Amino acid sequence: MSQKRPDYLLFDRNTMAFVYGYQTNAIQRMLDFDYVCKRDQPSVSAIINPTRAGIHKAFWGTGEILLPMYKTISDAVARHPEADVMVNFASHRSAFETTMDALNQPSIKTVAVIAEGVPERQARIMAASAKKAGKVIIGPATVGGMVAGAFKIGNTAGTTENIIASRLYRPGCVGFVSKSGGMLNEAFNIISRNSNGIREGIATGGDRYPGSTMLDHIMRYEANLDIAMIACLGELGGEDEYQIIKALKEGKISKPLVAWVTGTCASFLPGSVQFGHAGAKADTAMETAAAKNQAFRDAGANVPDSFDGYGDQIKMVYDRLVAEGKVKQAAEPEAPKIPADYSKALSTGLIRRPTTFICTISDDRGEELLYAGKPITEVMDSRIGIGGVIGLLWFKKELPDYAAQFIEIVIQIVADHGPSVSAAHNAIVASCAGKDLVTSLASGLLTIGPRFGGAIDDAAREFKRASDSGLTPEQFVSEMKQKGINIPGIGHRIKSVKNPDKRVQLLIDFARRNFARTDLLNYALQVERLTTAKKGNLILNVDGCIGILFIDLMSSCDTFTKQDIDDVLRYGYLNGLFALGRSIGIIGHVLDQKRQGARLYRHPPEDIAFMLPRWDE
Ligand code: ACO
Ligand code: LMR
């Protein structure tokens, strides 16, 4: 287990870590690395997410695992004493406080601080506190580091493809250290091509005051018998490299060292230029890359003439170690396979899968939302109104103005009919019972059916069937009577010949003025003449009028085909018009009640006839 690890080794195949911050990609990359290294168990013990405790689901190979998530470091530590590393993704604002918290936990031995821009004063306190406690900080401003075939910090080494290409799933013999995280990944690649690969690689971070220095890690590599050679990449600015040079001169580094200090081009630039990192700026001659490279050379390190020769130097040293029998070349294991992420495999055309359903009316995947293929800005610019939008989304057609207007008139006309009708009444009761707007709306909408607002489709169907099959109005009325079916679209509770429904009149007037033909309406009015002759309230009601006129609209307008009419009738489009329009009124009633303060509704007992069975008789 990790407790038995020698001091010079920060991570092994049993290392367990916390990830501070909900960095799902970095967590997955750690787990994927563990998986390709064939670790027995994933290296992430838990996630620490200050805003949410719970669980996080992640991939382990092709399967899935759950990782616990805690709000505080102490909660995580209490439940997971096995974790001795914390990968800290806290921002530069909270990196200090969280790192100090982690350093105070006895079980946490190493903290990797990823944030850039941590104030230098705080970075120095963190570094001093870690040293005092005998712990290690990697960073700030780093990607982290890794031990090949064992454990990696967060996003170190990039994608799984890079990991496989650089053979980081199994150990090599090179210990590498750099300041820069970007160079770490580049170096992994160079080293894998010129030797048997990396054993351990750390990026100390580009700040002036790193929690641990390049020399700290080189001394660990020196003590690690599995590491045969050391490679380092410094950069201009600061004097950290001189610590390594001093150790070389004092004979404290016995293993061959390949070194290069980047930033030699700075001398070609005017003035003192800062390169990316906070610390990458040479303020004195000693801090220049050229001076440091020369000093490395003088101290006996293998230093190329330019960065281009870095790989050659590694190869030269490695080949020598092999020739001297100091490195044994092991048989290369087969490169592991990692399942590709679904989204990536799909986007690169590696896989395909049947879709779950088809959508032919709208699309929100592009830059702009499309209604039936029309960008929403065009829809707005063309001022087609609600009627036109219904044309696009229900019929996938651009409707002529009068057709869109007819739909709009329907919506306006059915928007409300006072508080007594089923939908409004139900919604008001729900609202008074304390239900929210959407629930109250739904309870109102649920009353729409054959006896209230939901007879539009049936009216259209029945009247069209009767007329198409050549039934006279008399035959139709008597056929329905024989069947014992109320003719859909006929009859009203309060409207009658003497108290006509103004809405029906308005719709008929519009149709007569705008539609090319109103054949079905004419037929329906003959039916109405017969039914009202029986009873004054058996008028063509608003549902019936809408249904019948819609068929007249479709049959007399070139935009629609016979197939469209069949679809409308088969799938029942038209009750949707009532549901849509009446929602406006229902919402109004619910809001009206809410504004008044919800009082619990109770039906008056005098309105109910109580007629219970008597058991004593
Ligand atoms: N066709 C033929 N006869 C009818 C119809 C009809 N559509 N509606 C009622 N009648 C007759 C009944 O058979 C009954 O006759 P009876 O006295 O000889 O027994 C009489 O009229 C009264 O019937 P009720 O069901 O009591 O009428 P009520 O006024 O309660 O019903 C209703 C009104 C529900 C609208 C009814 O006329 C009906 O079912 N119509 C067909 C469905 C319909 O169009 N619904 C939508 C209404 S509009 C809207 O909600 C926005
Ligand atoms: C409505 O539009 O709600 C009405 O026609 C129904 C009714 O009962 O009045």
Side-chain angles (χ1 to χ4, degrees):
M1 284 304 289
S2 48
Q3 279 82 353
K4 291 189 203 131
R5 265 201 320 262
D7 281 350
Y8 60 77
L9 200 53
L10 297 183
F11 321 117
D12 63 18
R13 284 174 65 82
N14 295 313
T15 294
M16 299 298 293
F18 296 125
V19 175
Y20 188 102
Y22 197 31
Q23 296 282 333
T24 52
N25 286 343
I27 292 165
Q28 190 57 59
R29 285 179 170 177
M30 287 174 75
L31 300 178
D32 285 345
F33 179 73
D34 298 341
Y35 188 77
V36 294
C37 294
K38 299 195 169 70
R39 275 181 57 128
D40 294 337
Q41 54 175 339
S43 63
V44 180
S45 281
I47 301 161
I48 302 160
N49 176 0
T51 58
R52 186 161 67 86
I55 47 172
H56 169 73
K57 188 159 68 70
F59 283 116
W60 176 245
T62 50
E64 289 184 309
I65 53 168
L66 294 178
L67 296 175
M69 189 148 72
Y70 304 100
K71 278 186 148 183
T72 65
I73 296 174
S74 40
D75 276 357
V77 164
R79 288 178 180 80
H80 301 276
E82 76 281 1
D84 68 353
V85 176
M86 185 171 101
V87 180
N88 192 354
F89 279 101
S91 76
H92 66 92
R93 286 174 298 279
S94 43
F96 175 67
E97 147 207 336
T98 48
T99 301
M100 294 303 282
D101 187 354
L103 290 175
N104 284 330
Q105 309 290 341
S107 56
I108 297 184
K109 306 285 187 231
T110 305
V111 183
V113 185
I114 311 297
E116 281 184 45
V118 174
E120 289 184 350
R121 196 182 63 84
Q122 295 184 341
R124 294 171 82 164
I125 298 172
M126 289 183 334
S129 312
K131 283 233 154 60
K132 198 165 155 217
K135 300 186 176 190
V136 175
I137 289 180
I138 300 171
T142 182
V143 68
M146 53 107 64
V147 171
F151 174 83
K152 90 171 178 112
I153 294 168
N155 293 313
T156 304
T159 61
T160 314
E161 288 78 19
N162 286 343
I163 287 163
I164 307 272
S166 300
R167 295 179 294 162
L168 298 171
Y169 49 84
R170 51 75 170 149
C173 74
V174 183
F176 175 81
V177 68
S178 67
K179 284 192 172 176
S180 146
M183 290 313 287
L184 184 73
N185 292 355
E186 180 60 23
F188 286 167
N189 184 10
I190 295 172
I191 290 169
S192 81
R193 282 189 280 112
N194 292 289
S195 69
N196 70 351
I198 280 285
R199 181 93 203 177
E200 181 172 348
I202 300 286
T204 60
D207 283 357
R208 272 221 169 227
Y209 300 103
S212 53
T213 63
M214 290 198 290
L215 180 64
D216 291 336
H217 297 288
I218 288 177
M219 293 321 292
R220 290 194 303 100
Y221 300 162
E222 174 68 16
N224 185 345
L225 293 181
D226 291 323
I227 289 178
M229 60 181 281
I230 300 169
C232 84
L233 264 183
E235 60 188 26
L236 82 167
E239 297 188 356
D240 288 3
E241 290 80 358
Y242 289 104
Q243 297 176 0
I244 308 171
I245 290 159
K246 184 164 174 279
L248 266 175
K249 283 183 179 157
E250 290 171 357
K252 291 183 181 156
I253 303 171
S254 65
K255 296 179 182 175
L257 175 76
V258 178
W260 178 250
V261 178
T262 59
T264 46
C265 68
S267 57
F268 299 106
L269 302 169
S272 156
V273 177
Q274 166 137 16
F275 284 72
H277 292 148
K281 178 166 169 280
D283 291 328
T284 66
M286 258 185 86
E287 291 184 26
T288 63
K292 291 185 192 179
N293 279 323
Q294 192 51 50
F296 264 121
R297 254 180 227 113
D298 295 345
N302 299 275
V303 184
D305 294 333
S306 74
F307 182 62
D308 288 347
Y310 194 68
D312 295 339
Q313 289 289 323
I314 289 181
K315 183 164 169 42
M316 194 188 74
V317 173
Y318 176 74
D319 287 347
R320 197 181 68 222
L321 290 171
V322 173
E324 289 168 4
K326 290 184 179 154
V327 171
K328 300 254 174 309
Q329 278 174 308
E332 195 61 52
E334 201 190 324
K337 289 195 175 49
I338 182 80
D341 272 346
Y342 176 74
S343 52
K344 192 158 179 218
L346 195 64
S347 68
T348 51
L350 272 178
I351 54 165
R352 64 185 183 187
R353 137 176 129 67
T355 47
T356 317
F357 54 77
I358 303 167
C359 170
T360 67
I361 61 162
S362 59
D363 189 345
D364 70 342
R365 294 167 305 165
E367 215 170 89
E368 202 172 336
L369 170 65
L370 303 177
Y371 283 177
K374 260 190 180 305
I376 189 75
T377 43
E378 229 176 89
V379 174
M380 292 301 115
D381 286 349
S382 53
R383 298 181 184 280
I384 54 175
I386 294 281
V389 169
I390 290 177
L392 292 176
L393 292 180
W394 292 16
F395 297 96
K396 297 189 283 173
K397 285 181 196 295
E398 284 183 69
L399 300 185
D401 286 351
Y402 77 93
Q405 242 181 52
F406 176 69
I407 293 177
E408 217 146 293
I409 286 172
V410 169
I411 303 289
Q412 291 172 52
I413 267 177
V414 300
D416 193 32
H417 207 224
S420 317
V421 301
S422 309
H425 179 265
N426 237 28
I428 289 169
V429 172
S431 174
C432 290
K435 304 297 275 189
D436 63 279
L437 179 109
V438 175
T439 316
S440 306
L441 168 65
S443 86
L445 287 174
L446 292 174
T447 64
I448 296 174
R451 294 177 67 81
F452 168 74
I456 308 182
D457 285 300
D458 280 345
R461 258 180 224 121
E462 286 299 328
F463 277 84
K464 184 168 186 316
R465 178 191 61 82
S467 150
D468 285 358
S469 59
L471 289 181
T472 63
E474 290 79 4
Q475 285 168 328
F476 177 45
V477 172
S478 81
E479 182 213 51
M480 294 299 270
K481 176 133 186 88
Q482 268 170 26
K483 287 188 191 162
I485 301 173
N486 279 352
I487 302 168
I490 292 287
H492 199 274
R493 282 221 69 128
I494 56 169
K495 294 294 173 189
S496 64
V497 178
K498 288 201 183 122
N499 174 24
D501 191 334
K502 198 78 191 140
R503 301 172 297 174
V504 173
Q505 209 45 58
L506 287 166
L507 288 167
I508 292 176
D509 288 350
F510 182 90
R512 292 236 197 270
R513 273 187 282 115
N514 293 283
F515 294 6
R517 290 190 315 276
T518 54
D519 299 345
L520 201 57
L521 172 69
N522 301 342
Y523 183 84
L525 291 176
Q526 291 180 49
V527 172
E528 183 190 40
R529 226 165 286 137
L530 299 171
T531 52
T532 49
K534 291 189 186 172
K535 237 173 184 216
N537 72 327
L538 294 185
I539 53 161
L540 175 65
N541 62 37
V542 73
D543 278 18
C545 186
I546 294 167
I548 283 149
L549 285 182
F550 218 98
I551 298 301
D552 274 339
L553 167 73
M554 294 184 85
S555 337
S556 60
C557 169
D558 293 343
T559 307
F560 298 100
T561 62
K562 191 180 163 310
Q563 180 64 45
D564 292 331
I565 301 177
D566 288 348
D567 282 353
V568 163
L569 296 177
R570 181 174 310 130
Y571 304 121
Y573 285 38
L574 301 178
N575 289 343
L577 291 171
F578 190 90
L580 180 64
R582 189 52 58 94
S583 293
I584 300 171
I586 301 175
I587 292 173
H589 283 291
V590 174
L591 295 175
D592 189 26
Q593 295 305 315
K594 299 262 175 233
R595 276 195 302 270
Q596 295 167 36
R599 294 141 315 189
L600 190 59
Y601 172 85
R602 203 164 201 287
H603 213 78
E606 56 273 26
D607 279 2
I608 300 166
F610 294 93
M611 300 165 84
L612 280 61
R614 292 191 57 132
W615 297 98
D616 51 354
E617 279 174 1

